[in-house]
Amino acid sequence: MTTDSTPATRSGGVERAGGVRASLGSARDRDVLRSFVRRIDASDAGAHNNLGVLYYNKGLCEEAVAAFTRALEIDPKMQVAQRNLEIAYVNTGYYDRRVAELRERLRASPADRDARWELGRVYALLGHTTEAEAEFTELLRHAPDDVGAMMQLGLAEKSVGDIENAQHWFERALALDSTSAVVHFYVGECYYNRGLNDESLAALRRSIELAPDNPDAHYLMGFVLGDMGLHDDARKATKRAIQLNPALSRAHANLSLERLTPSEQQPAVPTAASRLAERRMDIAPEGQLAHYNLGLAFRQKGYFTEALREYRLAMDRGEAGDLVLRAMAEVHLLKGDTAAAMQMYDRLLEESPESPKLWNERGIVLHQDGRFVEAAESYARAIAVDALYALALNNLGVARYHARDDEGAVEAFRAALHAEPDFVKARLNLALLLARRRHVQLCLEAYRQVLALEPEHPVAWNGVGLVLAELRKFEDARNAYARAILARPDFAEAHYNLSFALSNLGDFDGALRETRRALELDPYYVAQKFELAIDLEFEDPDLSVIPDLGGDQREDGSVRTFALDAGVLDALFTELAPTTPRVTTVASRSDSQYATAADYLSKGMLERALADATRVMGRGGDRGEGLVLLGEIYARQGALGEALERFHEASATTGGPLSRRALAGEASVLIRLGRGAEATPMTEALLASNPDDVDALMLAATARAESGDAPGALRALEHARRVAPLRADVLKQVGDVARTVGDAEAAISAWRHALTLDSDFALVRCQLADLLRERGQLAEAEAELEAALETMPTYADAALALASLRRSTGRPAEALGLLVDLLQRDPYHLDGCTMLGETLVAVGRRSDAAVAFDRVLRFDPGHVGALYHQGVLAAEQHRYRDAIARWRQVIELEPAGEYARRARRDSRTAVDLQRIFSERAQVA
């Protein structure tokens, strides 16, 4: 695994791979650095990028990620910010955690639009276009008229250069929102990129007609007019754009983080490779070879010093000199004593110069000594004697790799495979070299061919995982590493790699567990190695060689220092600050000033909206409206503290509809912060001014419920239900509150009504099924779970619930199919694997169940479900001591859990049975 895919070591947020960042001396220093964000032009992507570099090099990793994200939102084509974000992503783990959180939210609630939207934006910002498109396409499946999702799909297509597809999505959005200046602008940009200047100009003029103060539209129009030869008009358009956004006229250096250097300082502590074949050591029958035979016996035990002593005695007594000399040369080679081994092989080759085996082994000695050119010459001599000697061809490939002759190495590996198609070592070496050269498809094909020969080869599965991780397909990579570990449980590298994949998937407990296991096996991470091949009669030694990552095969990974004193910092950000004097008069009506920002917000383009709103406020736009809009933007971003501050200030300074928006915003933020009681006065004030506002009613219901006033919450929701009888989300909330107060009938009625309005509401179906099962209405519960899976086949919780229901109703065989399908999609779903084991027990397949539980515990030794059931299986076999030991583990791990309750009960029974059987044995 390459180091740039390995999580960087962090300590308090200030360390990174390859060194330690400058430590911030005090909270005041950190506050000073953070204050720079208020001193730069919010619409200047370059300024945000440079600020991110400053944060990163001062140890403020999350602030750096946020700054690079803002830069990319404002200017999606800013490649330097894209690279910087990727570096910060790898080394801080910020997005690893966020992606995991969002996936978990989607697992619990697949219809959570905000979580899916944010996940899609995360992927898009990191350049993972395929994953981003998948999330936004799923949004459109649930809401076919979601203009924001269409815009994001268009931007994703545009980012990879597919302008026609991008235009298709923008035009679909335009058909639904023909008054959007932002959509007209992007359509015009697509026309311009396709060379259709007339169509582009028409779209841009319409955009400016709808939002006269959109600087991006004016700026692009300048280019279009210039291409059409209308230079005076082009200059006017560009001048207007710069008046609206002075940042468009400035060019400054955009700072860049270089990729971190792959660590090469880790000592190579080789682990034992698995034996390819078991060979029996034959003892020569002749009495005159007594010392030679004794040397073989010592060699079999790995006692090389003692073996050499016996070989020397054999030489002194004249026991088959050539045979003993060969054995001594091999032992010196195995010990790594290159000088002595070379002396022996040179002596042997004087007598047998036409032996390809001896030339090959001499080459390995030189290879181990770091003399790659001479090793290649020795391998070549072996091949000159036998052109189809696959072992020497393989080793020649490794030597050529170290000599920077990659093409020659590939040629040698392929020649070895031509001579011996089933030569697994050569195929693994070829795959590793192809991986180093980023030939992903060829690499995967090489590993596939290894697995065709040996389906459970651990190194091949580990290699497949590395390639998939490089492609950021972490779920598939996790499954490949799991296959490697199943084949070789003590495979330290696969445990390390699995840890990395799990951290990217948000399973941090699992990642920590795998790291600990890897450290127990081998304290150093050693990447996959090239393997030299040798033909020894009595051993198949591990002659692995760690790939050299130096020279032209390695990216320049140095991180340039970025240390500036306060004066230089002030100069830098002064240069980037807006130069246009603040305008104190409102130039136009307030409802048009923020039109572009509101348009961006409605399309989910939050950073663009933030930049535009800030710019308008800087030009003298209505402060109250700007504060409300900024609060809404920050709330959508999840910056709840910033949002609360803006809404609170706006509530104190505005009146009329703006005041209601500010009050509603402040109340919703307080509820999201878990401070529903504080929000209650605000929600009641909103209701007092407009009792029929459905959103206000739902807000008030939530605040009342969190304050413990469930009846009041139900009253508000019933009113909302009368006002908006077709809103499924209102009915869902009615059901939620009804269930909390124990009114199951009302909850069922509300949820069923919600499903008549939105039959694809899978989360409601699962909630309804859970309540129906509690009430014993099992057939109805099963029907709801089946409908949920029909709507969303990947809904894991629904699949587990349905399998559990079928097993509990005496149909475990029907549950097996559901669980097998789930585990085929997600082999690492440990709860699913545990339930599979329980179901296998129910159908009488106890040996298969034991395998399932063992698999769970191999990855999570503290999984209480698997431990409990292992105890059950042990008790059935009258192994009560083992059963009690497992149940004690369960009780220690989760003393208040359901499994612990069952473990205590079963332990008492097992103790009694153990005593009874012991007494019977004594009587007998």
Side-chain angles (χ1 to χ4, degrees):
M1 184 170 71
T2 57
T3 309
D4 63 358
S5 344
T6 306
T9 304
R10 296 190 301 277
S11 176
V14 298
E15 286 189 21
R16 68 180 174 196
V20 181
R21 298 198 192 118
S23 179
L24 298 175
S26 66
R28 180 180 178 278
D29 294 335
R30 292 192 289 272
D31 292 339
V32 168
L33 284 170
R34 291 187 179 108
S35 71
F36 281 123
V37 75
R38 300 179 183 273
R39 301 174 60 181
I40 64 174
D41 185 350
S43 64
D44 189 339
H48 286 294
N49 174 73
N50 292 352
L51 183 61
V53 174
L54 171 62
Y55 282 150
Y56 184 85
N57 284 279
K58 293 301 181 181
L60 299 173
C61 297
E62 293 198 3
E63 287 83 350
V65 168
F68 296 139
T69 300
R70 283 193 291 272
L72 276 173
E73 289 276 13
I74 295 166
D75 183 2
K77 297 185 287 292
M78 192 176 187
Q79 293 298 314
V80 66
Q82 178 81 48
R83 290 195 301 273
N84 289 344
L85 180 62
E86 289 172 356
I87 294 167
Y89 163 62
V90 169
N91 292 329
T92 67
Y94 174 78
Y95 271 121
D96 289 348
R97 295 191 298 275
R98 190 59 185 150
V99 166
E101 292 166 2
L102 293 169
R103 281 179 171 163
E104 185 59 32
R105 279 175 58 184
L106 288 171
R107 179 180 171 184
S109 178
D112 188 338
R113 182 189 186 280
D114 292 340
R116 196 172 298 282
W117 177 277
E118 187 177 347
L119 183 59
R121 288 300 302 144
V122 167
Y123 285 138
L125 287 171
L126 291 170
H128 305 160
T129 307
T130 303
E131 291 87 343
E133 288 179 343
E135 299 303 330
F136 291 120
T137 301
E138 183 66 14
L139 280 176
L140 283 178
R141 192 173 75 82
H142 289 283
D145 294 340
D146 191 331
V147 174
M150 293 177 192
M151 292 294 293
Q152 293 301 322
L153 284 166
L155 292 171
E157 296 287 3
K158 189 162 74 74
S159 71
V160 295
D162 193 341
I163 303 301
E164 291 190 9
N165 264 339
Q167 184 175 332
H168 161 75
W169 286 113
F170 293 141
E171 287 177 343
R172 277 190 60 181
L174 194 61
L176 294 168
D177 188 358
S178 60
T179 61
S180 170
V182 169
V183 182
H184 279 289
F185 166 74
Y186 280 111
V187 170
E189 188 179 43
C190 287
Y191 278 131
Y192 177 67
N193 288 330
R194 294 176 59 194
L196 304 173
N197 289 332
D198 291 332
E199 292 84 346
S200 176
L201 185 60
L204 293 171
R205 281 177 172 161
R206 178 57 178 156
S207 176
I208 291 170
E209 180 184 339
L210 293 165
D213 294 340
N214 184 351
D216 294 330
H218 286 284
Y219 198 65
L220 181 57
M221 182 182 281
F223 283 94
V224 175
L225 292 168
D227 286 356
M228 297 173 72
L230 303 173
H231 300 298
D232 289 339
D233 291 341
R235 280 192 290 271
K236 290 177 184 177
T238 303
K239 183 178 179 180
R240 178 59 178 155
I242 292 170
Q243 287 174 343
L244 293 168
N245 183 8
L248 294 172
S249 67
R250 294 193 297 272
H252 50 73
N254 292 319
L255 304 175
S256 174
L257 301 171
E258 296 291 337
R259 279 200 176 276
L260 303 179
T261 307
S263 172
E264 296 175 24
Q265 305 305 318
Q266 296 175 328
V269 182
T271 58
S274 61
R275 303 296 185 187
L276 297 181
E278 294 294 333
R279 295 186 176 93
R280 183 174 58 85
M281 295 211 172
D282 295 325
I283 303 299
E286 295 84 354
Q288 66 270 26
L289 297 182
H291 288 287
Y292 173 75
N293 287 335
L294 188 56
L296 287 183
F298 281 126
R299 179 173 168 178
Q300 181 179 18
K301 297 291 186 182
Y303 301 152
F304 294 141
T305 301
E306 290 78 0
L308 285 172
R309 184 184 65 235
E310 294 302 324
Y311 288 149
R312 290 190 188 100
L313 288 172
M315 290 288 290
D316 291 343
R317 299 190 179 191
E319 296 182 9
D322 182 71
L323 180 64
V324 175
L325 194 60
R326 285 174 182 255
M328 292 179 71
E330 291 173 358
V331 171
H332 281 301
L333 184 154
L334 294 171
K335 286 184 64 181
D337 187 351
T338 55
M342 277 298 298
Q343 182 180 2
M344 299 260 177
Y345 279 115
D346 286 342
R347 182 174 164 186
L348 286 165
L349 283 165
E350 287 177 3
E351 300 178 6
S352 305
E354 300 302 313
S355 170
K357 179 178 183 297
L358 290 175
W359 281 114
N360 182 59
E361 291 169 17
R362 180 180 182 274
I364 290 173
V365 174
L366 292 165
H367 211 137
Q368 288 182 320
D369 201 33
R371 296 153 68 181
F372 306 127
V373 175
E374 295 174 67
E377 293 172 354
S378 194
Y379 298 140
R381 291 290 298 272
I383 296 164
V385 176
D386 181 355
L388 298 179
Y389 191 35
L391 279 65
L393 287 164
N394 171 79
N395 297 347
L396 179 61
V398 179
R400 285 178 174 174
Y401 172 83
H402 283 103
R404 301 291 189 272
D405 180 9
D406 287 358
E407 296 304 322
V410 170
E411 180 184 350
F413 291 140
R414 285 178 173 160
L417 291 168
H418 177 73
E420 190 176 326
D422 294 346
F423 192 2
V424 168
K425 279 188 180 179
R427 206 168 288 283
L428 288 172
N429 286 340
L430 176 60
L432 179 55
L433 178 55
L434 292 170
R436 297 288 174 197
R437 304 307 298 173
R438 300 293 191 269
H439 297 315
V440 174
Q441 192 60 44
L442 294 174
C443 171
L444 284 174
E445 177 60 21
Y447 283 127
R448 187 194 66 77
Q449 291 174 356
V450 172
L451 293 169
L453 295 169
E454 298 185 29
E456 300 303 322
H457 198 292
V459 176
W461 278 116
N462 182 67
V464 170
L466 291 172
V467 176
L468 293 170
E470 188 74 16
L471 296 172
R472 310 199 69 78
K473 297 182 180 296
F474 293 113
E475 290 187 2
D476 294 331
R478 175 198 62 191
N479 297 339
Y481 297 139
R483 293 289 296 271
I485 292 168
L486 286 172
R488 188 195 298 174
D490 62 350
F491 195 177
E493 183 193 349
H495 283 285
Y496 278 116
N497 294 339
L498 178 57
S499 167
F500 171 64
L502 292 175
S503 70
N504 276 278
L505 292 170
D507 183 0
F508 301 111
D509 291 338
L512 180 60
R513 182 182 65 247
E514 292 303 321
T515 301
R516 285 174 176 163
R517 177 59 179 148
L519 288 170
E520 291 171 1
L521 294 168
D522 191 336
Y524 299 103
Y525 177 83
V526 180
Q528 185 177 340
K529 298 168 287 186
F530 287 109
E531 295 187 63
L532 298 176
I534 190 170
D535 181 18
L536 298 183
E537 184 178 359
F538 305 118
E539 296 96 357
D540 181 23
D542 180 3
L543 297 174
S544 302
V545 181
I546 297 176
D548 178 15
L549 300 179
D552 59 348
Q553 298 179 53
R554 184 179 68 245
E555 297 179 36
D556 179 9
S558 60
V559 179
R560 298 175 184 173
T561 58
F562 182 68
L564 296 175
D565 59 30
V568 176
L569 285 173
D570 284 337
L572 172 63
F573 292 110
T574 299
E575 175 192 349
L576 301 181
T579 57
T580 303
R582 182 185 176 93
V583 180
T584 56
T585 60
V586 177
S588 59
R589 290 172 39 194
S590 64
D591 61 355
S592 66
Q593 287 176 308
Y594 293 97
T596 304
D599 203 354
Y600 279 128
L601 176 59
S602 72
K603 306 300 182 294
M605 303 169 72
L606 305 182
E607 293 296 343
R608 300 295 296 269
L610 180 63
D612 200 79
T614 305
R615 185 168 56 243
V616 172
M617 285 185 70
R619 296 202 313 269
D622 182 272
R623 182 166 180 78
E625 184 180 7
L627 286 170
V628 173
L629 188 57
L630 287 174
E632 291 169 345
I633 295 168
Y634 282 127
R636 287 278 298 276
Q637 288 179 322
L640 300 183
E642 294 279 359
L644 191 61
E645 181 183 321
R646 302 304 189 280
F647 285 134
H648 186 72
E649 184 179 350
S651 297
T653 58
T654 61
L658 277 179
S659 178
R660 282 183 55 79
R661 277 175 61 191
L663 204 60
E666 189 173 0
S668 65
V669 169
L670 286 170
I671 289 170
R672 289 173 66 183
L673 288 169
R675 295 157 59 182
E678 295 179 48
T680 302
M682 300 171 194
T683 60
E684 299 304 328
L686 288 168
L687 277 183
S689 63
N690 189 350
D692 294 333
D693 185 332
V694 176
D695 292 327
L697 285 163
M698 292 185 68
L699 205 58
T702 305
R704 290 174 183 177
E706 292 196 5
S707 303
D709 182 10
L714 284 172
R715 286 196 301 273
L717 288 169
E718 285 301 328
H719 190 175
R721 187 175 175 179
R722 289 193 296 271
V723 174
L726 300 180
R727 293 248 321 236
D729 57 335
V730 174
L731 290 159
K732 177 195 179 299
Q733 195 168 347
V734 170
D736 293 347
V737 176
R739 187 174 189 185
T740 61
V741 299
D743 191 345
E745 291 294 343
I748 291 172
S749 175
W751 286 335
R752 287 198 188 282
H753 194 176
L755 290 170
T756 63
L757 299 174
D758 182 1
S759 60
D760 292 339
F761 212 151
L763 176 59
V764 171
R765 290 196 182 277
C766 283
Q767 290 179 303
L768 177 58
D770 186 50
L771 184 52
L772 290 170
R773 184 174 180 180
E774 284 183 10
R775 291 162 56 87
Q777 297 172 250
L778 302 183
E780 293 90 336
E782 184 171 357
E784 294 299 337
L785 290 170
E786 288 172 345
L789 284 173
E790 185 176 344
T791 299
M792 190 165 292
T794 59
Y795 197 175
D797 289 348
L800 290 176
L802 182 56
S804 173
L805 177 60
R806 287 179 175 173
R807 195 180 74 241
S808 68
T809 54
R811 295 174 294 151
E814 294 180 31
L816 280 177
L818 283 168
L819 295 169
V820 169
D821 289 343
L822 171 63
L823 291 170
Q824 283 179 338
R825 289 193 303 271
D826 185 1
Y828 196 78
H829 199 299
L830 300 185
D831 290 338
C833 196
T834 302
M835 188 175 289
L836 176 65
E838 296 171 355
T839 308
L840 288 167
V841 169
V843 297
R845 294 166 57 181
R846 283 168 169 71
S847 59
D848 292 335
V851 172
F853 297 135
D854 287 343
R855 179 187 177 90
V856 173
L857 293 172
R858 184 169 295 179
F859 292 105
D860 183 2
H863 194 286
V864 292
L867 285 168
Y868 171 77
H869 287 291
Q870 270 199 339
V872 171
L873 292 177
E876 287 180 355
Q877 298 170 3
H878 299 174
R879 294 187 293 111
Y880 298 113
R881 191 185 304 277
D882 293 339
I884 292 169
R886 290 287 185 272
W887 291 331
R888 282 176 179 165
Q889 284 182 267
V890 171
I891 295 166
E892 289 172 4
L893 289 166
E894 285 188 13
E898 171 63 18
Y899 281 118
R901 184 189 66 78
R902 293 159 67 180
R904 292 188 184 95
R905 177 199 65 198
D906 294 348
S907 293
R908 290 192 293 270
T909 302
V911 168
D912 292 341
L913 291 171
Q914 189 177 25
R915 186 181 64 253
I916 291 169
F917 278 101
S918 176
E919 290 172 355
R920 286 181 180 177
Q922 290 175 2
V923 171

